[in-house]
Structure formats: C-alpha cells, structure tokens
Amino acid sequence: MGGTVLRALVCGAAGAVAWVLCEPFFPRLVGGLARDPRWSAVELALFLLLGTLVGLAAGVLHGLRQGSRRAALSSGGLGALFGAVGGGLGHFFGSAMFTLAGGDGVTMNPFARTLAFIPMGLMLGAAIGASQRTLRGFVSGSIGGAIAGFVLGASFDPIALVLSPFIMAANLDRVAQGGQVEIGGPARAVTCFGLGLFVGLFTALFDHVTRQAWLRLTLGRNEGREWPIDAQQTLVGRDERAHVPVFSDPQVPALAAVIVREQGGYILKDPSSPIGVGHNGIRVQEAPLQHGDTIQIGSLSFEFLMRAGARNAAEGRARAVPIGGQRQPVQPTSPVPSVAPVQPAAAPTLVVMNGPMTGQRFPVQGPTEIGREGSGVRLFADAQASRRHAQVEFGPAGVSVTDLGSTNGTFVNGQRITSSPLRPGDIVTVGSTQLRLEA
C-alpha cells in the first residue's frame, strides 16, 4: 500500500508542476475567454504537459518497482510519450463534449465540465496504463482515469465558486473599474494536482486488485517487493530486461528461472541455470505452481501467490517433471523456507533457532560465512551481528566454526570461542541469533 500512496503523491506533484508552468499564460479577463485565441492554445499545452509529466512519473516508478534503472528509464520515456498522446486526445474529446453539453467557458456548468473531464481523465489514464505494455495496465488505467475525471469535473465549478471571493479581493482595482476577473486558476490547480493524484492512485489500485498472480520476495534485499506475473513467459534473473530482475545475489545468472502461464495455471521451469531452481525446498527442472509455493534462486526466496479465481482454476493440476533423467509426478507441497541452492542431503545443516529467520536451513558443504552481509547465512535483521561475523567449514575432520574478528564474539553452547569443532546438536550464537548444527 505504501507504493500506491507514493505513486499517487508523485503523480499529483507532477500534475501540479504542469499547472505552475502553464498557468501564467492563461488570459486573465473573463470577457476574453470566447475571443482570445491564446485560451485554447494554453489549455492544450497544459494537457499535453500534464500527460507528459504524469506519464513520466508513473513510468519511472513502475520501472523502479521492477528493480531496474534501465526499466525505469524505458518505462519513464514510454509513459511520457503515451501520456502526451493521452493528454492531447483527452483535451480534444473533452472540449467536444464540453461544447455539446452547452459549456461556454464563462458561466458555471458542472454538468458540462463533468462530461468533459471524464474523457480527459480516461484518455490520460489509459495512456499511462498502456505504457506498462499490458492489457491489464490499459484497462486499469482507463477505469482509474475515468473515475478521476468524474470526481474532478464535478468539483471544478464548486471549487472556483468557493475561492472566488479571495481572487476578487486580490483584484479590487480591476473589479472597481468594472472589469471581469477570471477565477478558474485555483480550480485548475486542484484539477491538475487531482488528475495526477487520482490517476496515479486509481491505476495503482486497479493494477493491484486485478492482478491474478505475483511473486513476493520473502528473503533477500528489499524483502516484500512484489512483481506481477502478467506475461506468457515471466523471466527471472540478474538482467535488467527480466520481468523479475534481481541483483542482490551475484551468483544468480542473467536467466535463472521461467514461469510459464498455460491452461489457467503456472509452471516453474529451470532454463538450465548453473545454480538450479528450488521449489518448496527441492531442486526441480519443472514443477506446477500453487498458491503459497516457495521458489529458491541462489540466496533468494520468493513466495508465489494467486488470487482466489486463478487459484481455483489451477487446483488439482499435476505434471510429470523430468528430474535426474526420469519422469516423476511432482505434487505441490507446503512451503519450506530456504535461501540457498539445494545441496546433497548428507551435508551438515545450520538451522536458525530464533528471530525473523527461525526455521531457515543452510546446508554446509564448504566455507559458509555468517553475518549481516555473510555470503552463506545473511543475518540482515540482527544488529548485534558483525558484517562478517563467523565462518563454518565442513572438511575431512568434520565441522568447525571460526570467529572472524567480530565485535560481540562467537559462542558455542554458551562459551565464547575463537575457533571450535562442532558436533550435531551444538548451538552457535552469532549476535543475537542462535543456529543449531544438524547432521
């Protein structure tokens, strides 16, 4: 929800900037509205700039949400282009509706303004939604923009009427001489800010509500980030062109996993990744996905989620999956948290006993570093752990743990150590985190 509010505020600010840049060029006298050719030109410029800036803001935020600067630049440029087109089309159709409904630009006519603002908001929202290059984005943008146009069109004249005494007071000399003062400036300011705000808000809300499936990062940098599964083939990997770009683990290849949508369900596939793909704690080449399944890629863990309708459509689906040269039926199992590629079962394992990572299992087959930035066991939430706190190794002589010069020390079964062998059942304390060694 925080991302939705941020998008709304940033898009609203973009709309306000468009008003600030264009408002000084509007004619000031009511009597000149029908005759002054600048009016239509400035109004068109306002909507073109409004669409450009709001589209740019929405596109950049959409790209950043994917976790890629390249995606932010690409989405931002596309959003600006589509937004400008939407703003221009919205102004054209809105002006036509305004005239057909009897609006003259001088007298107040809330009905005409509402009819005019609906296509303006719809075109703007549709263009910004289309810049996401998905049908769902286009539909959600259209609906959100139409709602925004209706709300702001209905409120434009009342806002101008409420604020008119203040505008008149600021132009007493002109009023005293019998001149007429144009009072629409504050209402235009609210409209520009509101269109950006509501288009950003409603497009984000509809995008969130209408998505059918998505991935949520549950372990790794930027935990909680989500990516919708919209494409026929959703690519996951360390590449800015991936639908789910992940960069926090250098071991993750450019293409680490593929999620294929077919027949109302979703299939997880390993594209011959060198580190493999884990599904509910088991390395797979291919497996059907169900709501709540866990996907492990390197040190990262994702949760696959679906809405109820999509979940019901995929229920009961099983698929023969080639593993180790044989085809075996792989049924969905309950999620088993894991953050590393699956290791041989014989490897000793460190099990986290407390804190937010309780239950996480880390096989020890080579040097396994523990710490806030540890390459093996990353205790990102433990402020008492050093960046590189301790290292556990598995060699011919068995398992041992070595303190790496940590600030708060490393303990085995309550005793502070510099280096110590480990036996199954021993408890290693790093910072405030306890890990038990299992054979």
Side-chain angles (χ1 to χ4, degrees):
M1 188 58 69
T4 299
V5 174
L6 175 63
R7 179 171 175 173
L9 292 176
V10 171
C11 289
V17 170
W19 174 81
V20 169
L21 294 176
C22 292
E23 182 61 25
F25 299 97
F26 276 98
R28 299 293 99 187
L29 298 179
V30 171
L33 293 182
R35 299 188 303 271
D36 198 325
R38 292 179 301 164
W39 186 268
S40 294
V42 176
E43 192 176 62
L44 174 60
L46 173 62
F47 273 89
L48 287 173
L49 187 59
L50 177 68
T52 300
L53 294 182
V54 173
L56 175 65
V60 168
L61 289 177
H62 176 72
L64 290 176
R65 188 183 66 175
Q66 289 184 297
S68 163
R69 285 177 294 180
R70 177 173 177 170
L73 292 174
S74 173
S75 296
L78 201 60
L81 176 62
F82 278 43
V85 173
L89 290 175
H91 177 264
F92 174 79
F93 287 106
S95 298
M97 293 294 293
F98 186 69
T99 302
L100 288 174
D104 57 15
V106 178
T107 57
M108 291 191 174
N109 190 334
F111 176 72
R113 291 199 187 277
T114 301
L115 288 183
F117 274 58
I118 289 176
M120 289 179 180
L122 186 149
M123 293 291 180
L124 182 61
I128 293 173
S131 69
Q132 299 179 11
R133 291 169 284 188
T134 64
L135 176 61
R136 187 166 57 85
F138 174 78
V139 173
S140 64
S142 301
I143 297 174
I147 293 174
F150 174 81
V151 171
L152 293 164
S155 60
F156 186 95
D157 283 347
I159 291 173
L161 183 63
V162 169
L163 297 178
S164 61
F166 302 97
I167 302 174
M168 293 297 186
N171 294 272
L172 287 177
D173 293 341
R174 184 176 294 172
V175 174
Q177 295 173 8
Q180 294 177 301
V181 178
E182 201 276 318
I183 62 173
R188 282 192 294 275
V190 173
T191 297
C192 289
F193 175 77
L195 270 176
L197 179 77
F198 285 126
V199 166
L201 175 65
F202 285 124
T203 53
L205 285 176
F206 275 98
D207 181 67
H208 185 80
V209 169
T210 58
R211 63 185 180 179
Q212 294 299 303
W214 63 99
L215 283 184
R216 176 184 297 157
L217 183 63
T218 55
L219 190 59
R221 189 182 303 171
N222 299 319
E223 285 183 21
R225 173 172 284 177
E226 297 179 349
W227 294 268
I229 308 299
D230 286 331
Q232 190 67 34
Q233 291 191 348
T234 299
L235 310 181
V236 184
R238 192 179 172 82
D239 191 313
E240 292 189 341
R241 294 167 295 182
H243 299 93
V244 184
V246 289
F247 305 102
S248 57
D249 186 347
Q251 296 183 9
V252 175
L255 181 58
V258 179
I259 298 176
V260 180
R261 186 180 64 201
E262 58 179 50
Q263 300 177 355
Y266 298 84
I267 306 297
L268 173 67
K269 295 186 177 183
D270 178 4
S272 301
S273 166
I275 64 172
V277 177
H279 174 246
N280 294 333
I282 303 173
R283 181 166 178 168
V284 298
Q285 292 181 7
E286 184 176 314
L289 288 170
Q290 297 286 347
H291 177 75
D293 281 0
T294 299
I295 300 172
Q296 299 89 31
I297 300 174
S299 64
L300 307 175
S301 183
F302 301 85
E303 185 178 14
F304 178 77
L305 301 168
M306 288 192 290
R307 293 219 174 273
R311 201 182 312 170
N312 294 335
E315 274 185 0
R317 297 181 76 252
R319 187 180 181 92
V321 182
I323 299 177
Q326 298 181 354
R327 299 188 66 85
Q328 305 172 7
V330 175
Q331 300 288 348
T333 59
S334 58
V336 178
S338 176
V339 296
V342 178
Q343 305 286 355
T349 302
L350 290 171
V351 182
V352 181
M353 304 301 296
N354 63 333
M357 296 173 62
T358 299
Q360 298 280 343
R361 303 175 67 85
F362 299 87
V364 180
Q365 232 182 2
T368 302
E369 196 174 277
I370 307 172
R372 292 201 318 275
E373 298 180 5
S375 58
V377 182
R378 190 176 180 192
L379 305 177
F380 55 90
D382 191 341
Q384 297 183 38
S386 298
R387 292 189 305 122
R388 298 177 66 248
H389 196 111
Q391 182 169 283
V392 177
E393 296 185 68
F394 179 36
V399 184
S400 63
V401 59
T402 302
D403 184 77
L404 299 178
S406 64
T407 301
N408 296 320
T410 301
F411 297 80
V412 175
N413 298 328
Q415 299 296 317
R416 184 164 184 165
I417 57 92
T418 301
S419 181
S420 173
L422 292 176
R423 296 184 299 274
D426 283 351
I427 302 295
V428 179
T429 302
V430 173
S432 61
T433 303
Q434 293 183 333
L435 304 97
R436 186 181 67 232
L437 181 69
E438 293 186 355

